[in-house]
């Protein structure tokens, strides 16, 4: 009887596959949006090269990691190899150049945590942030994009989790909740942990790509075409995975002792990382290790108040997946 009940539950949850996939499809950016992004990047490259002939521009963040929903802003990194560059000076000069080319709302934020120039292109309607020499972000963007190519369920799960987090107001680092980058890492780690595993651990495999940035060695396996069948022994569907993801973060994750680590594809202990107590503003109440900057906890923005908000949201989502007659609507209700 128990087996029958479990099978019933499974069939029940599988009824949600079609609506979840429909939500996923509705969030994917159209090809024409990608073309507009390219058009803006080409314009920016032309302007930048006139001033700094050796500089290069890279897209990073959601417009390049394949986890971007439609109508997102784009993130651009200006790479200048000059050792003694003065970032504020370059940002101000860049803002000047962009303004004289009729780009709109140009603003240099030289004192932000990550200093940037913001702009809006009236031709394509796209807004854009440009930072300088944030090469680690360009490399972690590649890591995320490479993971996305291995199993389609990662992109589906991450779109749904990001959409949920935005709808529920828990994707705001300035309010102590998590960044989109952190949510995608949670999804990757979750799929690495399924049995059979749906994703491998690229940083534990043979190195086919490597770069050293600020003394940090970034090395991983990036020939992901050969991994296309990696997760095929695991037949879990998107609705089962969404259910299990929220169930994990609501009831199963050991917040007191565990650190999730995409780098090792495993759970590490807070103790081993010396993340057991508050140091400065880092409280380590939910621990997500950055895959390259391993001393960096992406949960460090979370405080005493926001950890409660986050955990209640995970519990709400888990409850809805389990009991609500219409989870695909209820899950994303504005808070
Ligand atoms: P969204 O769709 O919400 O714009 P996004 O993928 O652009 O999502 P963000 O969290 O805005 O995600 O981050 C943009 C990029 O900046 C990430 O893809 C990552 O490369 C980099 N990044 C963001 N936060 C960190 C961090 N704490 N440490 C290292 N890199 C980060
Ligand atoms: Mg972004």
């Amino acid at each position: 009887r128990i087996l029958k009940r479990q099978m019933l539950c499974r069939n029940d949850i599988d009824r949600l596959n079609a609506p979840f996939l429909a939500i996923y499809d509705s969030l994917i950016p159209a090809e024409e949006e990608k073309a507009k992004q390219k058009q803006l990047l080409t314009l920016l490259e032309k302007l930048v090269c006139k001033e700094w002939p050796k500089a290069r521009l890279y897209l990073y963040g959601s417009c390049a990691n394949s986890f971007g929903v439609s109508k997102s802003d784009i993130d651009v990194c200006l790479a200048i190899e000059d050792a003694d560059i003065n970032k504020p000076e370059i940002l101000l000069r860049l803002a000047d150049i962009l303004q004289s080319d009729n780009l709109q709302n140009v603003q240099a934020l030289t004192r932000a945590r990550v200093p940037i120039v913001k702009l809006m292109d009236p031709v394509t309607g796209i807004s854009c942030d440009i930072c300088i020499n944030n090469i680690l972000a360009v490399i972690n963007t590649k890591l995320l994009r490479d993971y996305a190519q291995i199993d389609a369920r990662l992109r589906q799960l991450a779109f749904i989790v990001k959409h949920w987090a935005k709808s529920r107001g828990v994707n705001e680092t300035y309010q102590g909740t998590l960044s989109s980058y952190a949510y995608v890492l949670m999804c990757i780690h979750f799929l690495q942990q399924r049995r059979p595993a749906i994703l491998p651990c690229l940083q534990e495999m043979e190195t086919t790509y490597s770069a050293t940035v600020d003394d940090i060695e970034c090395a991983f396996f990036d020939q992901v075409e050969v991994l296309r069948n990696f997760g095929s022994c695991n037949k879990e569907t998107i609705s089962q995975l969404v259910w299990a993801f929220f169930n994990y973060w609501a009831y199963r994750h050991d917040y007191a002792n565990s650190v999730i680590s995409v780098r090792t594809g495993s759970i590490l202990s807070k103790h081993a990382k010396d993340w057991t107590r508050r140091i400065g503003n880092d409280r380590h109440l939910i621990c997500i290790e950055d895959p390259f900057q391993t001393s960096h906890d992406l949960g460090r923005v979370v405080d005493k108040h926001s950890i409660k908000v986050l955990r209640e949201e995970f519990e709400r989502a888990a409850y809805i997946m389990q009991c609500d007659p219409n989870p695909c609507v209820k899950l994303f209700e504005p808070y």
Side-chain angles (χ1 to χ4, degrees):
R1 265 178 62 190
I2 289 175
L3 190 66
K4 201 167 161 196
R5 208 205 250 137
Q6 276 175 352
M7 280 170 60
L8 266 178
C9 279
R10 193 165 254 233
N11 287 340
D12 247 14
I13 195 121
D14 278 341
R15 270 194 251 140
L16 301 175
N17 282 329
F20 272 133
L21 289 176
I23 293 171
Y24 166 69
D25 283 336
S26 72
L27 295 168
I28 294 177
E31 279 306 315
E32 109 195 358
E33 218 174 296
K34 291 269 146 203
K36 281 185 179 169
Q37 292 177 354
K38 276 243 169 66
Q39 185 187 335
L40 174 56
L41 189 69
T42 309
L43 168 69
L44 295 174
E45 267 166 349
K46 198 185 82 196
L47 296 174
V48 161
C49 279
K50 247 194 237 159
E51 179 77 16
W52 299 284
K54 285 200 196 139
R56 290 207 54 188
L57 286 183
Y58 297 95
L59 285 176
Y60 73 100
S62 62
C63 59
N65 66 17
S66 72
F67 297 102
V69 301
S70 63
K71 312 213 168 57
S72 301
D73 299 349
I74 67 172
D75 298 304
V76 176
C77 169
L78 169 61
I80 299 187
E81 269 185 37
D82 197 341
D84 46 37
I85 60 159
N86 176 327
K87 275 194 192 176
E89 228 168 69
I90 293 195
L91 286 170
L92 291 170
R93 178 76 195 115
L94 180 61
D96 266 351
I97 294 169
L98 299 170
Q99 207 140 30
S100 4
D101 202 77
N102 286 332
L103 289 156
Q104 289 177 355
N105 308 346
V106 179
Q107 244 184 316
L109 308 181
T110 54
R111 288 200 271 184
R113 193 179 56 83
V114 179
I116 51 169
V117 174
K118 292 176 101 50
L119 64 97
M120 204 281 282
D121 172 28
V123 179
T124 57
I126 297 177
S127 294
C128 165
D129 292 348
I130 307 177
C131 67
I132 297 176
N133 287 353
N134 193 358
I135 306 300
L136 273 177
V138 176
I139 297 175
N140 67 38
T141 294
K142 173 176 164 56
L143 181 72
L144 267 47
R145 185 176 59 235
D146 286 343
Y147 270 115
Q149 286 177 46
I150 299 171
D151 195 292
R153 289 170 288 185
L154 170 59
R155 201 168 171 229
Q156 295 164 359
L157 177 66
F159 268 56
I160 285 163
V161 169
K162 274 179 68 175
H163 183 47
W164 161 83
K166 283 180 206 285
S167 313
R168 300 299 303 166
V170 287
N171 180 209
E172 312 283 358
T173 46
Y174 65 92
Q175 289 179 350
T177 54
L178 299 170
S179 65
S180 298
Y181 177 56
Y183 281 114
V184 175
L185 290 173
M186 287 157 84
C187 293
I188 294 174
H189 183 262
F190 172 76
L191 298 182
Q192 286 175 329
Q193 291 281 301
R194 301 310 287 166
R195 290 295 170 264
I198 294 180
L199 289 178
C201 174
L202 295 177
Q203 288 172 274
E204 297 261 283
M205 295 171 65
E206 170 203 355
T207 300
T208 55
Y209 170 88
S210 76
T212 306
V213 185
D214 307 333
D215 293 331
I216 297 174
E217 165 90 25
C218 308
F220 55 95
F221 182 78
D222 76 337
Q223 322 259 290
V224 285
E225 316 77 62
V226 305
L227 296 173
R228 286 272 160 75
N229 284 324
F230 182 89
S232 58
C233 294
N234 182 313
K235 306 289 182 207
E236 286 176 296
T237 61
I238 184 60
S239 54
Q240 289 164 14
L241 292 169
V242 171
W243 176 87
F245 178 87
F246 286 124
N247 197 263
Y248 175 78
W249 285 100
Y251 304 117
R252 299 166 73 100
H253 181 69
D254 179 357
Y255 287 81
N257 300 301
S258 294
V259 176
I260 65 155
S261 162
V262 164
R263 171 180 61 100
T264 59
S266 66
I267 304 246
L268 308 176
S269 80
K270 280 200 198 180
H271 193 75
K273 297 205 58 108
D274 199 19
W275 283 357
T276 48
R277 61 217 140 81
R278 174 172 174 176
I279 299 182
N281 260 338
D282 293 14
R283 295 175 178 83
H284 304 302
L285 300 174
I286 173 172
C287 295
I288 304 158
E289 183 195 60
D290 185 87
F292 301 120
Q293 288 170 290
T294 55
S295 63
H296 193 158
D297 176 7
L298 296 167
R300 70 183 181 183
V301 289
V302 177
D303 60 31
K304 218 167 60 194
H305 169 71
S306 60
I307 188 69
K308 260 189 80 200
V309 174
L310 258 180
R311 293 187 63 171
E312 279 168 15
E313 282 298 331
F314 287 133
E315 284 168 28
R316 174 187 179 273
Y319 178 80
I320 289 172
M321 287 302 294
Q322 186 81 37
C323 305
D324 197 89
N326 202 356
C328 293
V329 173
K330 197 65 180 261
L331 208 51
F332 309 106
E333 255 171 22
Y335 61 106

